[in-house]
Amino acid sequence: MEDQGAEIAQLREWKSQWFPNKGSAVNMKLPGMMQSMKGMSMEKLQSSQGDDFDVMFLDMMIRHHRGALAMAQDAIKKARHPEIVAFSKKVIAQQQEEISTMSRWKKEWKPGTP
C-alpha cells in the first residue's frame, strides 16, 4: 500500500509538471479499465465473510491487476515521456508478481482450512 501511495504521488507530480492546466482524466475506454471493473460487486464483497470473502477478494484483485497490466502495456506503446515507459514496466513486473501470489494463495487455500 505504501508503494501504491508513492506511485500515485509520483504520477500526480508528473501530471502537474507536464500538464499543469489539464483537469482530471477518467476514461473507462482506456485498455484495462472496463476489464478491471467487470463483474465487481463491492456490496457482495462487503456482505460476505470467511472463505467466501477471501475467494471473492482474490478474484476481484486479480481482475483489477490484470486491468492495470493492460493499461501499462498500452502506455509502453504510446507514451511520449520515458519516465512513463519506465514506470509502466515497473507496474507490469509488480502486478504480475502480485497476480502470481494471489493465484497461488487461491490454489493453496481450500475452503475450511486455515
Side-chain angles (χ1 to χ4, degrees):
M1 289 295 192
E2 287 176 28
D3 286 346
Q4 190 174 31
E7 289 172 348
I8 291 168
Q10 179 65 70
L11 292 170
R12 285 186 173 144
E13 181 181 325
W14 284 336
K15 184 175 180 259
S16 68
Q17 230 179 303
W18 298 333
F19 312 103
N21 299 321
K22 295 282 185 181
S24 244
V26 175
N27 184 348
M28 292 304 287
K29 293 180 183 179
L30 286 171
M33 288 297 286
M34 290 301 289
Q35 172 189 347
S36 71
M37 302 301 286
K38 188 176 182 182
M40 284 195 185
S41 169
M42 293 308 290
E43 292 141 5
K44 204 171 178 184
L45 180 67
Q46 292 301 323
S47 66
S48 64
Q49 54 187 323
D51 290 338
D52 291 337
F53 177 90
D54 292 351
V55 169
M56 191 179 305
F57 177 81
L58 290 174
D59 285 343
M60 290 172 73
M61 288 303 295
I62 289 169
R63 189 175 307 122
H64 180 69
H65 280 42
R66 285 186 179 142
L69 286 175
M71 189 180 295
Q73 289 162 344
D74 191 53
I76 288 170
K77 294 178 206 168
K78 297 178 179 177
R80 179 173 70 86
H81 291 86
E83 296 93 337
I84 297 293
V85 173
F87 179 89
S88 296
K89 288 178 179 179
K90 181 180 164 193
V91 165
I92 288 170
Q94 290 172 334
Q95 298 296 296
Q96 286 175 327
E97 183 179 332
E98 291 177 14
I99 288 169
S100 293
T101 298
M102 289 184 287
S103 296
R104 181 176 40 82
W105 287 343
K106 198 171 167 193
K107 287 177 186 171
E108 290 174 357
W109 298 344
K110 305 286 184 231
T113 60

